[in-house]
Amino acid sequence: MQKFIIQGAKELKGEISVKGGKNSALKIIPASILSEKTIKISNLPQIEDIKKSLELMTDLGAEIKEEKDYIEINPSKINKYSLNPAWANKFRASIMFIGPLLARFGEVIFPHPGGCVIGAGGRPIDLFLEGFISLGATIEQKDGNYHLKAKKLKGSEYFFTQISVTATESLMMTAVLAEGTTILKNCAMEPEIKNLADYLNKQGAKIEGAGTSTIKIKGVQKIDAGEISIMPDRLETGSFALMAGATKSEITITDCEPSHIEIILNIFNKIGLPFEKGNDFLKIKKAKKLSSYSIKTHEYPGFPTDLQPPYAVLMTQAEGQALIHETIYDRRLQYIDMLSQMGAKVNTCDPHRAFISGPTKLFGKKLTSPDLRAGIAMLIAGLSAEGETQIDNIYQIDRGYENIDERLRNIGADIKRI
Ligand code: EPU
């Protein structure tokens, strides 16, 4: 197994560019099942989760031509509506294949998606199932698989009793080929959702309101060929910005959309972390002194749960006490013990809340990466700590951050992959 060895407390300097968004690409790829024509995707991040998604597409019969960050998918050859557990059991985003397969074939068989440690009970899919039923599907559970059937999906009205990003995207995609109009209420509003809707609309879909809490989809007969450049990863943008703050460095983040992390930038103004921004760049400057600021994770445009762990690392370097309150996932504060072992002053109240008091010096430690976002937080902590930090299980970082060690070395980090 590969690990990172970091010699920390070194100032970073220079420019780092942001790759295409993982959580956008993971929906654009399965959306191609809705069409029978060629789909061209550029700016695709070269990360583990995307590899798995493409393997799953190939397993279904799609032909894929790949050249670095550009791919062409020919979905006309897809001849299977059953998800191979070898992939579906390994990654949560396999759930994004269900709706498009159901819409195209009227049938789909799949196991409960796996591959995630942050949610309770293997992360539920009840909202997806309820949504498919409301569109007219029937469900049978047999031999550890779900079997959904719908001769013809029919537009309906569905209210999400919990706000879910992937469930919103999934039902929005599925309803595109349903007969009649679907209205989805209490939808998630993440920028990836609007991006997916804009892309599908260019292919002939009729989606209105994506990016707001009510989405209206008028069903169409077919979806045409498509072409898209994946939007910049807002979570990479946020991670790099928090990294600059925690390592007291001046970094320019390019090829990004600062407007997608507006809440983080507003907090930077409050805690005294100076920055300059343009439409597609963000320059984080050195702070004279950082003040602490409490956060509570919330659906977009609130504080993203995915940036909660790196923000906690930043708070170890801020003066005062900050409450970190995780409201979306049950196991997303697991990394906090590791931060404490590195010297952070942490007071855990319960599995969802912890106080961090700073500023404190961090010291290098042997760590392991429990999940993707805790992994990047450990990496940032290692870069700001004195001495050597070793991070195991870096597969969990590679899942979401392309070639991260080389990109960080280019801005002066002392990080080795062994
Ligand atoms: N939920 C249910 N039932 C469902 C679906 C979700 O109860 O059927 C619950 C979840 O257990 C959770 C809450 O709803 O408590 C919200 O989760 P959501 O469904 O919004 O998360 P997701 O759509 O599965 C996406 C991202 C996550 C990101 C969250 C929140 C993708 C592929 N994943 O997940 O990204 O944390 O939204 O913004 O888009 C990551 O990139 O590290 C990551 C985990």
mmCIF file of all heavy atoms in Angstrom, residues 22-24 26-27 92-93 95-96 116 118-120 123-129 162-167 169 188 190 234-235 299 304-306 327-330 332 371-373 399, ligand 1:
data_model
loop_
_atom_site.group_PDB
_atom_site.id
_atom_site.type_symbol
_atom_site.label_atom_id
_atom_site.label_comp_id
_atom_site.label_asym_id
_atom_site.label_seq_id
_atom_site.Cartn_x
_atom_site.Cartn_y
_atom_site.Cartn_z
ATOM 1 N N LYS A 22 -14.778 16.216 -9.358
ATOM 2 C CA LYS A 22 -15.138 14.804 -9.189
ATOM 3 C C LYS A 22 -16.656 14.644 -9.120
ATOM 4 O O LYS A 22 -17.231 13.810 -9.816
ATOM 5 C CB LYS A 22 -14.498 14.276 -7.887
ATOM 6 C CG LYS A 22 -15.073 12.955 -7.401
ATOM 7 C CD LYS A 22 -14.391 12.458 -6.148
ATOM 8 C CE LYS A 22 -14.983 12.917 -4.846
ATOM 9 N NZ LYS A 22 -16.296 12.328 -4.466
ATOM 10 N N ASN A 23 -17.290 15.454 -8.281
ATOM 11 C CA ASN A 23 -18.718 15.253 -8.042
ATOM 12 C C ASN A 23 -19.595 15.756 -9.188
ATOM 13 O O ASN A 23 -20.811 15.547 -9.167
ATOM 14 C CB ASN A 23 -19.130 15.879 -6.705
ATOM 15 C CG ASN A 23 -18.556 15.078 -5.540
ATOM 16 O OD1 ASN A 23 -18.094 13.952 -5.737
ATOM 17 N ND2 ASN A 23 -18.566 15.654 -4.353
ATOM 18 N N SER A 24 -18.977 16.406 -10.171
ATOM 19 C CA SER A 24 -19.700 16.715 -11.396
ATOM 20 C C SER A 24 -19.496 15.551 -12.378
ATOM 21 O O SER A 24 -20.457 15.000 -12.917
ATOM 22 C CB SER A 24 -19.170 18.022 -11.987
ATOM 23 O OG SER A 24 -19.752 18.238 -13.234
ATOM 24 N N LEU A 26 -18.799 12.506 -11.899
ATOM 25 C CA LEU A 26 -19.430 11.238 -11.482
ATOM 26 C C LEU A 26 -20.909 11.171 -11.877
ATOM 27 O O LEU A 26 -21.532 10.114 -11.768
ATOM 28 C CB LEU A 26 -19.280 11.046 -9.968
ATOM 29 C CG LEU A 26 -17.899 10.584 -9.506
ATOM 30 C CD1 LEU A 26 -17.808 10.579 -7.983
ATOM 31 C CD2 LEU A 26 -17.558 9.204 -10.060
ATOM 32 N N LYS A 27 -21.500 12.285 -12.291
ATOM 33 C CA LYS A 27 -22.892 12.285 -12.758
ATOM 34 C C LYS A 27 -22.937 12.410 -14.283
ATOM 35 O O LYS A 27 -23.817 11.847 -14.921
ATOM 36 C CB LYS A 27 -23.700 13.455 -12.161
ATOM 37 C CG LYS A 27 -23.263 13.914 -10.767
ATOM 38 C CD LYS A 27 -23.397 12.857 -9.714
ATOM 39 C CE LYS A 27 -22.655 13.135 -8.424
ATOM 40 N NZ LYS A 27 -22.912 14.355 -7.720
ATOM 41 N N ARG A 92 -19.752 4.378 -3.869
ATOM 42 C CA ARG A 92 -21.083 4.915 -3.604
ATOM 43 C C ARG A 92 -21.725 5.524 -4.860
ATOM 44 O O ARG A 92 -22.924 5.382 -5.093
ATOM 45 C CB ARG A 92 -20.933 5.969 -2.488
ATOM 46 C CG ARG A 92 -22.077 6.914 -2.298
ATOM 47 C CD ARG A 92 -23.160 6.349 -1.440
ATOM 48 N NE ARG A 92 -24.300 7.251 -1.344
ATOM 49 C CZ ARG A 92 -25.449 6.933 -0.794
ATOM 50 N NH1 ARG A 92 -25.626 5.749 -0.253
ATOM 51 N NH2 ARG A 92 -26.435 7.794 -0.758
ATOM 52 N N ALA A 93 -20.890 6.190 -5.683
ATOM 53 C CA ALA A 93 -21.465 6.910 -6.823
ATOM 54 C C ALA A 93 -22.003 5.964 -7.898
ATOM 55 O O ALA A 93 -22.595 6.427 -8.880
ATOM 56 C CB ALA A 93 -20.442 7.875 -7.414
ATOM 57 N N ILE A 95 -24.527 4.477 -7.601
ATOM 58 C CA ILE A 95 -25.971 4.739 -7.508
ATOM 59 C C ILE A 95 -26.432 5.657 -8.661
ATOM 60 O O ILE A 95 -27.597 5.634 -9.055
ATOM 61 C CB ILE A 95 -26.320 5.371 -6.123
ATOM 62 C CG1 ILE A 95 -27.822 5.457 -5.869
ATOM 63 C CG2 ILE A 95 -25.700 6.737 -5.948
ATOM 64 C CD1 ILE A 95 -28.470 4.208 -5.477
ATOM 65 N N MET A 96 -25.504 6.450 -9.211
ATOM 66 C CA MET A 96 -25.875 7.374 -10.281
ATOM 67 C C MET A 96 -26.206 6.663 -11.595
ATOM 68 O O MET A 96 -26.735 7.276 -12.523
ATOM 69 C CB MET A 96 -24.755 8.407 -10.529
ATOM 70 C CG MET A 96 -24.412 9.264 -9.333
ATOM 71 S SD MET A 96 -25.839 9.932 -8.465
ATOM 72 C CE MET A 96 -26.613 10.913 -9.721
ATOM 73 N N CYS A 116 -18.112 3.427 1.361
ATOM 74 C CA CYS A 116 -18.110 4.697 2.063
ATOM 75 C C CYS A 116 -18.113 4.486 3.570
ATOM 76 O O CYS A 116 -18.852 3.657 4.072
ATOM 77 C CB CYS A 116 -19.343 5.469 1.666
ATOM 78 S SG CYS A 116 -19.545 6.936 2.608
ATOM 79 N N ILE A 118 -18.325 7.276 5.821
ATOM 80 C CA ILE A 118 -18.706 8.466 6.580
ATOM 81 C C ILE A 118 -20.162 8.508 7.047
ATOM 82 O O ILE A 118 -20.488 9.213 7.972
ATOM 83 C CB ILE A 118 -18.396 9.768 5.790
ATOM 84 C CG1 ILE A 118 -19.057 9.733 4.403
ATOM 85 C CG2 ILE A 118 -16.913 9.987 5.684
ATOM 86 C CD1 ILE A 118 -18.781 10.953 3.555
ATOM 87 N N GLY A 119 -21.045 7.749 6.401
ATOM 88 C CA GLY A 119 -22.457 7.821 6.786
ATOM 89 C C GLY A 119 -22.865 6.641 7.648
ATOM 90 O O GLY A 119 -22.177 5.632 7.717
ATOM 91 N N ALA A 120 -24.006 6.787 8.296
ATOM 92 C CA ALA A 120 -24.483 5.696 9.150
ATOM 93 C C ALA A 120 -25.148 4.625 8.296
ATOM 94 O O ALA A 120 -25.681 4.918 7.225
ATOM 95 C CB ALA A 120 -25.501 6.250 10.130
ATOM 96 N N ARG A 123 -24.876 4.238 4.432
ATOM 97 C CA ARG A 123 -25.509 5.344 3.684
ATOM 98 C C ARG A 123 -26.767 4.879 2.955
ATOM 99 O O ARG A 123 -26.716 4.132 1.999
ATOM 100 C CB ARG A 123 -24.514 6.002 2.727
ATOM 101 C CG ARG A 123 -23.695 7.067 3.458
ATOM 102 C CD ARG A 123 -22.548 7.536 2.655
ATOM 103 N NE ARG A 123 -22.897 8.669 1.776
ATOM 104 C CZ ARG A 123 -22.012 9.246 0.979
ATOM 105 N NH1 ARG A 123 -20.780 8.812 0.937
ATOM 106 N NH2 ARG A 123 -22.365 10.255 0.234
ATOM 107 N N PRO A 124 -27.899 5.351 3.416
ATOM 108 C CA PRO A 124 -29.186 4.904 2.873
ATOM 109 C C PRO A 124 -29.423 5.368 1.440
ATOM 110 O O PRO A 124 -28.833 6.355 0.991
ATOM 111 C CB PRO A 124 -30.201 5.565 3.805
ATOM 112 C CG PRO A 124 -29.490 6.696 4.456
ATOM 113 C CD PRO A 124 -28.040 6.355 4.491
ATOM 114 N N ILE A 125 -30.330 4.641 0.748
ATOM 115 C CA ILE A 125 -30.731 5.066 -0.609
ATOM 116 C C ILE A 125 -32.261 5.169 -0.692
ATOM 117 O O ILE A 125 -32.841 5.082 -1.765
ATOM 118 C CB ILE A 125 -30.173 4.124 -1.698
ATOM 119 C CG1 ILE A 125 -30.641 2.663 -1.481
ATOM 120 C CG2 ILE A 125 -28.668 4.161 -1.762
ATOM 121 C CD1 ILE A 125 -30.438 1.788 -2.708
ATOM 122 N N ASP A 126 -32.892 5.310 0.498
ATOM 123 C CA ASP A 126 -34.354 5.337 0.547
ATOM 124 C C ASP A 126 -34.977 6.417 -0.349
ATOM 125 O O ASP A 126 -36.002 6.203 -0.993
ATOM 126 C CB ASP A 126 -34.823 5.505 2.007
ATOM 127 C CG ASP A 126 -34.198 6.712 2.683
ATOM 128 O OD1 ASP A 126 -32.965 6.889 2.545
ATOM 129 O OD2 ASP A 126 -34.913 7.487 3.329
ATOM 130 N N LEU A 127 -34.315 7.589 -0.416
ATOM 131 C CA LEU A 127 -34.903 8.683 -1.208
ATOM 132 C C LEU A 127 -34.896 8.344 -2.693
ATOM 133 O O LEU A 127 -35.827 8.660 -3.428
ATOM 134 C CB LEU A 127 -34.119 9.979 -0.969
ATOM 135 C CG LEU A 127 -34.061 10.474 0.469
ATOM 136 C CD1 LEU A 127 -33.078 11.636 0.595
ATOM 137 C CD2 LEU A 127 -35.445 10.913 0.950
ATOM 138 N N PHE A 128 -33.821 7.686 -3.121
ATOM 139 C CA PHE A 128 -33.735 7.268 -4.532
ATOM 140 C C PHE A 128 -34.887 6.305 -4.833
ATOM 141 O O PHE A 128 -35.611 6.471 -5.817
ATOM 142 C CB PHE A 128 -32.429 6.513 -4.803
ATOM 143 C CG PHE A 128 -31.183 7.342 -4.681
ATOM 144 C CD1 PHE A 128 -30.638 7.649 -3.446
ATOM 145 C CD2 PHE A 128 -30.542 7.802 -5.815
ATOM 146 C CE1 PHE A 128 -29.485 8.390 -3.341
ATOM 147 C CE2 PHE A 128 -29.383 8.548 -5.730
ATOM 148 C CZ PHE A 128 -28.857 8.858 -4.483
ATOM 149 N N LEU A 129 -35.019 5.293 -3.958
ATOM 150 C CA LEU A 129 -36.024 4.254 -4.207
ATOM 151 C C LEU A 129 -37.425 4.849 -4.218
ATOM 152 O O LEU A 129 -38.217 4.594 -5.120
ATOM 153 C CB LEU A 129 -35.903 3.139 -3.166
ATOM 154 C CG LEU A 129 -34.543 2.403 -3.148
ATOM 155 C CD1 LEU A 129 -34.522 1.326 -2.071
ATOM 156 C CD2 LEU A 129 -34.217 1.787 -4.503
ATOM 157 N N GLN A 162 -35.481 14.775 2.975
ATOM 158 C CA GLN A 162 -34.135 15.151 3.395
ATOM 159 C C GLN A 162 -33.422 15.669 2.147
ATOM 160 O O GLN A 162 -33.614 15.103 1.051
ATOM 161 C CB GLN A 162 -33.423 13.900 3.916
ATOM 162 C CG GLN A 162 -32.072 14.199 4.465
ATOM 163 C CD GLN A 162 -31.695 13.240 5.597
ATOM 164 O OE1 GLN A 162 -32.502 12.453 6.066
ATOM 165 N NE2 GLN A 162 -30.473 13.320 6.029
ATOM 166 N N ILE A 163 -32.630 16.719 2.305
ATOM 167 C CA ILE A 163 -31.973 17.268 1.108
ATOM 168 C C ILE A 163 -30.788 16.386 0.737
ATOM 169 O O ILE A 163 -29.922 16.133 1.570
ATOM 170 C CB ILE A 163 -31.523 18.725 1.353
ATOM 171 C CG1 ILE A 163 -32.749 19.594 1.650
ATOM 172 C CG2 ILE A 163 -30.746 19.261 0.157
ATOM 173 C CD1 ILE A 163 -32.440 21.034 1.975
ATOM 174 N N SER A 164 -30.789 15.895 -0.484
ATOM 175 C CA SER A 164 -29.716 15.004 -0.930
ATOM 176 C C SER A 164 -29.240 15.412 -2.316
ATOM 177 O O SER A 164 -30.042 15.576 -3.237
ATOM 178 C CB SER A 164 -30.228 13.564 -0.951
ATOM 179 O OG SER A 164 -29.373 12.770 -1.748
ATOM 180 N N VAL A 165 -27.926 15.550 -2.447
ATOM 181 C CA VAL A 165 -27.346 15.985 -3.720
ATOM 182 C C VAL A 165 -27.550 14.912 -4.789
ATOM 183 O O VAL A 165 -28.152 15.154 -5.834
ATOM 184 C CB VAL A 165 -25.824 16.270 -3.551
ATOM 185 C CG1 VAL A 165 -25.210 16.680 -4.878
ATOM 186 C CG2 VAL A 165 -25.600 17.326 -2.495
ATOM 187 N N THR A 166 -27.059 13.696 -4.514
ATOM 188 C CA THR A 166 -27.124 12.663 -5.558
ATOM 189 C C THR A 166 -28.562 12.215 -5.832
ATOM 190 O O THR A 166 -28.886 11.887 -6.972
ATOM 191 C CB THR A 166 -26.245 11.441 -5.195
ATOM 192 O OG1 THR A 166 -26.414 11.151 -3.825
ATOM 193 C CG2 THR A 166 -24.793 11.684 -5.503
ATOM 194 N N ALA A 167 -29.422 12.209 -4.808
ATOM 195 C CA ALA A 167 -30.814 11.806 -5.059
ATOM 196 C C ALA A 167 -31.495 12.848 -5.949
ATOM 197 O O ALA A 167 -32.245 12.500 -6.867
ATOM 198 C CB ALA A 167 -31.560 11.615 -3.747
ATOM 199 N N GLU A 169 -29.976 14.744 -8.187
ATOM 200 C CA GLU A 169 -29.430 14.574 -9.547
ATOM 201 C C GLU A 169 -29.989 13.324 -10.215
ATOM 202 O O GLU A 169 -30.299 13.313 -11.403
ATOM 203 C CB GLU A 169 -27.900 14.479 -9.474
ATOM 204 C CG GLU A 169 -27.272 15.789 -9.058
ATOM 205 C CD GLU A 169 -25.826 15.651 -8.614
ATOM 206 O OE1 GLU A 169 -25.481 14.643 -7.966
ATOM 207 O OE2 GLU A 169 -25.036 16.557 -8.893
ATOM 208 N N ALA A 188 -31.619 19.623 -3.501
ATOM 209 C CA ALA A 188 -30.311 20.205 -3.186
ATOM 210 C C ALA A 188 -30.009 21.255 -4.260
ATOM 211 O O ALA A 188 -30.588 21.222 -5.352
ATOM 212 C CB ALA A 188 -29.258 19.106 -3.192
ATOM 213 N N GLU A 190 -26.663 22.435 -5.091
ATOM 214 C CA GLU A 190 -25.231 22.482 -5.403
ATOM 215 C C GLU A 190 -24.989 22.887 -6.862
ATOM 216 O O GLU A 190 -25.786 22.525 -7.744
ATOM 217 C CB GLU A 190 -24.609 21.093 -5.151
ATOM 218 C CG GLU A 190 -24.055 20.835 -3.760
ATOM 219 C CD GLU A 190 -25.086 20.863 -2.632
ATOM 220 O OE1 GLU A 190 -26.293 21.004 -2.891
ATOM 221 O OE2 GLU A 190 -24.668 20.746 -1.469
ATOM 222 N N ARG A 234 -14.932 22.577 -6.948
ATOM 223 C CA ARG A 234 -15.001 23.616 -5.903
ATOM 224 C C ARG A 234 -14.392 23.111 -4.595
ATOM 225 O O ARG A 234 -13.962 23.895 -3.744
ATOM 226 C CB ARG A 234 -16.425 24.132 -5.724
ATOM 227 C CG ARG A 234 -17.378 23.154 -5.139
ATOM 228 C CD ARG A 234 -18.822 23.598 -5.215
ATOM 229 N NE ARG A 234 -19.670 22.434 -5.097
ATOM 230 C CZ ARG A 234 -20.150 21.974 -3.952
ATOM 231 N NH1 ARG A 234 -19.899 22.597 -2.824
ATOM 232 N NH2 ARG A 234 -20.890 20.893 -3.925
ATOM 233 N N LEU A 235 -14.355 21.788 -4.412
ATOM 234 C CA LEU A 235 -13.817 21.257 -3.158
ATOM 235 C C LEU A 235 -12.290 21.245 -3.192
ATOM 236 O O LEU A 235 -11.641 21.436 -2.164
ATOM 237 C CB LEU A 235 -14.401 19.870 -2.886
ATOM 238 C CG LEU A 235 -15.936 19.924 -2.832
ATOM 239 C CD1 LEU A 235 -16.540 18.546 -2.831
ATOM 240 C CD2 LEU A 235 -16.420 20.735 -1.624
ATOM 241 N N GLU A 299 -26.240 22.268 3.721
ATOM 242 C CA GLU A 299 -26.327 22.107 2.268
ATOM 243 C C GLU A 299 -25.934 23.428 1.590
ATOM 244 O O GLU A 299 -26.063 24.491 2.199
ATOM 245 C CB GLU A 299 -27.761 21.751 1.848
ATOM 246 C CG GLU A 299 -28.231 20.395 2.319
ATOM 247 C CD GLU A 299 -28.761 20.397 3.756
ATOM 248 O OE1 GLU A 299 -28.946 21.500 4.338
ATOM 249 O OE2 GLU A 299 -28.972 19.302 4.311
ATOM 250 N N PRO A 304 -19.813 23.647 3.310
ATOM 251 C CA PRO A 304 -19.806 22.274 2.790
ATOM 252 C C PRO A 304 -19.193 21.267 3.761
ATOM 253 O O PRO A 304 -18.101 21.509 4.286
ATOM 254 C CB PRO A 304 -18.935 22.352 1.523
ATOM 255 C CG PRO A 304 -18.354 23.708 1.484
ATOM 256 C CD PRO A 304 -18.919 24.549 2.574
ATOM 257 N N THR A 305 -19.885 20.172 3.984
ATOM 258 C CA THR A 305 -19.353 19.119 4.850
ATOM 259 C C THR A 305 -17.983 18.643 4.361
ATOM 260 O O THR A 305 -17.119 18.287 5.157
ATOM 261 C CB THR A 305 -20.335 17.920 4.941
ATOM 262 O OG1 THR A 305 -19.669 16.828 5.569
ATOM 263 C CG2 THR A 305 -20.839 17.449 3.592
ATOM 264 N N ASP A 306 -17.785 18.672 3.040
ATOM 265 C CA ASP A 306 -16.525 18.178 2.482
ATOM 266 C C ASP A 306 -15.337 19.074 2.836
ATOM 267 O O ASP A 306 -14.191 18.659 2.722
ATOM 268 C CB ASP A 306 -16.643 18.057 0.954
ATOM 269 C CG ASP A 306 -17.729 17.066 0.563
ATOM 270 O OD1 ASP A 306 -17.829 16.021 1.211
ATOM 271 O OD2 ASP A 306 -18.485 17.354 -0.385
ATOM 272 N N THR A 327 -23.192 18.350 10.557
ATOM 273 C CA THR A 327 -24.621 18.006 10.616
ATOM 274 C C THR A 327 -25.044 17.014 9.530
ATOM 275 O O THR A 327 -26.151 16.489 9.578
ATOM 276 C CB THR A 327 -25.496 19.274 10.441
ATOM 277 O OG1 THR A 327 -25.244 19.788 9.136
ATOM 278 C CG2 THR A 327 -25.196 20.333 11.466
ATOM 279 N N ILE A 328 -24.199 16.774 8.535
ATOM 280 C CA ILE A 328 -24.637 15.959 7.386
ATOM 281 C C ILE A 328 -24.323 14.470 7.593
ATOM 282 O O ILE A 328 -25.160 13.622 7.313
ATOM 283 C CB ILE A 328 -23.995 16.451 6.062
ATOM 284 C CG1 ILE A 328 -24.068 17.963 5.922
ATOM 285 C CG2 ILE A 328 -24.564 15.704 4.844
ATOM 286 C CD1 ILE A 328 -25.314 18.557 5.345
ATOM 287 N N TYR A 329 -23.106 14.179 8.043
ATOM 288 C CA TYR A 329 -22.692 12.774 8.174
ATOM 289 C C TYR A 329 -22.371 12.414 9.621
ATOM 290 O O TYR A 329 -21.917 13.256 10.391
ATOM 291 C CB TYR A 329 -21.444 12.500 7.318
ATOM 292 C CG TYR A 329 -21.693 12.579 5.845
ATOM 293 C CD1 TYR A 329 -21.042 13.535 5.068
ATOM 294 C CD2 TYR A 329 -22.572 11.707 5.216
ATOM 295 C CE1 TYR A 329 -21.264 13.610 3.701
ATOM 296 C CE2 TYR A 329 -22.796 11.786 3.848
ATOM 297 C CZ TYR A 329 -22.139 12.732 3.103
ATOM 298 O OH TYR A 329 -22.362 12.805 1.759
ATOM 299 N N ASP A 330 -22.549 11.118 9.939
ATOM 300 C CA ASP A 330 -22.323 10.645 11.303
ATOM 301 C C ASP A 330 -20.850 10.427 11.647
ATOM 302 O O ASP A 330 -20.473 10.478 12.797
ATOM 303 C CB ASP A 330 -23.053 9.311 11.510
ATOM 304 C CG ASP A 330 -24.542 9.536 11.651
ATOM 305 O OD1 ASP A 330 -24.911 10.668 12.008
ATOM 306 O OD2 ASP A 330 -25.310 8.600 11.381
ATOM 307 N N ARG A 332 -17.993 11.922 10.283
ATOM 308 C CA ARG A 332 -17.051 12.818 9.648
ATOM 309 C C ARG A 332 -16.190 13.613 10.621
ATOM 310 O O ARG A 332 -15.513 14.554 10.234
ATOM 311 C CB ARG A 332 -17.751 13.735 8.675
ATOM 312 C CG ARG A 332 -17.370 13.316 7.287
ATOM 313 C CD ARG A 332 -17.461 14.383 6.279
ATOM 314 N NE ARG A 332 -16.933 13.849 5.018
ATOM 315 C CZ ARG A 332 -17.255 14.287 3.834
ATOM 316 N NH1 ARG A 332 -18.080 15.266 3.715
ATOM 317 N NH2 ARG A 332 -16.722 13.754 2.758
ATOM 318 N N ASP A 371 -11.118 8.658 5.278
ATOM 319 C CA ASP A 371 -11.920 8.931 4.082
ATOM 320 C C ASP A 371 -11.259 10.067 3.322
ATOM 321 O O ASP A 371 -10.282 10.650 3.781
ATOM 322 C CB ASP A 371 -13.386 9.239 4.450
ATOM 323 C CG ASP A 371 -13.546 10.589 5.107
ATOM 324 O OD1 ASP A 371 -13.522 11.598 4.412
ATOM 325 O OD2 ASP A 371 -13.679 10.651 6.354
ATOM 326 N N LEU A 372 -11.832 10.363 2.168
ATOM 327 C CA LEU A 372 -11.220 11.339 1.268
ATOM 328 C C LEU A 372 -10.948 12.700 1.913
ATOM 329 O O LEU A 372 -9.835 13.218 1.877
ATOM 330 C CB LEU A 372 -12.154 11.485 0.056
ATOM 331 C CG LEU A 372 -11.891 12.573 -0.949
ATOM 332 C CD1 LEU A 372 -10.521 12.413 -1.569
ATOM 333 C CD2 LEU A 372 -12.961 12.529 -2.036
ATOM 334 N N ARG A 373 -11.978 13.284 2.511
ATOM 335 C CA ARG A 373 -11.809 14.662 3.006
ATOM 336 C C ARG A 373 -11.017 14.715 4.308
ATOM 337 O O ARG A 373 -10.325 15.698 4.583
ATOM 338 C CB ARG A 373 -13.169 15.342 3.163
ATOM 339 C CG ARG A 373 -14.034 15.302 1.913
ATOM 340 C CD ARG A 373 -13.400 15.951 0.706
ATOM 341 N NE ARG A 373 -14.167 15.703 -0.512
ATOM 342 C CZ ARG A 373 -13.793 16.060 -1.724
ATOM 343 N NH1 ARG A 373 -12.627 16.652 -1.913
ATOM 344 N NH2 ARG A 373 -14.552 15.804 -2.773
ATOM 345 N N ARG A 399 -8.481 9.031 -4.465
ATOM 346 C CA ARG A 399 -9.856 8.905 -4.961
ATOM 347 C C ARG A 399 -10.391 10.232 -5.477
ATOM 348 O O ARG A 399 -11.242 10.267 -6.354
ATOM 349 C CB ARG A 399 -10.762 8.495 -3.793
ATOM 350 C CG ARG A 399 -11.046 7.029 -3.677
ATOM 351 C CD ARG A 399 -12.065 6.834 -2.584
ATOM 352 N NE ARG A 399 -13.248 7.612 -2.874
ATOM 353 C CZ ARG A 399 -14.034 8.176 -1.966
ATOM 354 N NH1 ARG A 399 -13.762 8.045 -0.683
ATOM 355 N NH2 ARG A 399 -15.095 8.858 -2.309
HETATM 356 N N1 EPU B 1 -29.568 10.458 2.701
HETATM 357 C C1 EPU B 1 -30.623 9.677 3.107
HETATM 358 N N2 EPU B 1 -31.250 8.899 2.169
HETATM 359 C C2 EPU B 1 -30.860 8.891 0.871
HETATM 360 C C3 EPU B 1 -29.774 9.692 0.464
HETATM 361 C C4 EPU B 1 -29.150 10.471 1.411
HETATM 362 O O1 EPU B 1 -30.982 9.661 4.261
HETATM 363 O O2 EPU B 1 -31.483 8.163 0.082
HETATM 364 C C5 EPU B 1 -28.876 11.274 3.703
HETATM 365 C C6 EPU B 1 -27.405 10.912 3.867
HETATM 366 O O3 EPU B 1 -27.206 9.795 4.704
HETATM 367 C C7 EPU B 1 -26.822 12.178 4.438
HETATM 368 C C8 EPU B 1 -27.691 13.266 3.806
HETATM 369 O O4 EPU B 1 -28.829 12.617 3.254
HETATM 370 O O5 EPU B 1 -27.002 12.217 5.821
HETATM 371 C C9 EPU B 1 -27.059 14.052 2.732
HETATM 372 O O6 EPU B 1 -26.311 13.233 1.874
HETATM 373 P P1 EPU B 1 -26.378 13.421 0.315
HETATM 374 O O7 EPU B 1 -27.289 12.400 -0.255
HETATM 375 O O8 EPU B 1 -26.590 14.845 -0.055
HETATM 376 O O9 EPU B 1 -24.918 13.032 -0.075
HETATM 377 P P2 EPU B 1 -24.562 12.389 -1.406
HETATM 378 O O10 EPU B 1 -25.436 12.958 -2.457
HETATM 379 O O11 EPU B 1 -24.491 10.926 -1.264
HETATM 380 C C10 EPU B 1 -22.830 14.152 -2.284
HETATM 381 C C11 EPU B 1 -21.367 14.109 -2.580
HETATM 382 C C12 EPU B 1 -20.601 14.003 -1.266
HETATM 383 C C13 EPU B 1 -20.970 15.208 -0.398
HETATM 384 C C14 EPU B 1 -22.484 15.275 -0.196
HETATM 385 C C15 EPU B 1 -22.951 16.472 0.581
HETATM 386 C C16 EPU B 1 -21.246 13.025 -4.714
HETATM 387 C C17 EPU B 1 -20.854 11.819 -5.493
HETATM 388 N N3 EPU B 1 -21.057 12.968 -3.406
HETATM 389 O O12 EPU B 1 -23.094 12.917 -1.627
HETATM 390 O O13 EPU B 1 -19.241 14.052 -1.591
HETATM 391 O O14 EPU B 1 -20.344 15.086 0.840
HETATM 392 O O15 EPU B 1 -23.143 15.259 -1.468
HETATM 393 O O16 EPU B 1 -22.588 17.616 -0.085
HETATM 394 O O17 EPU B 1 -21.701 14.008 -5.257
HETATM 395 C C18 EPU B 1 -16.936 13.696 -1.210
HETATM 396 O O18 EPU B 1 -16.738 14.231 -2.319
HETATM 397 O O19 EPU B 1 -16.020 13.438 -0.387
HETATM 398 C C19 EPU B 1 -18.310 13.353 -0.844
HETATM 399 C C20 EPU B 1 -18.599 12.495 0.128
#
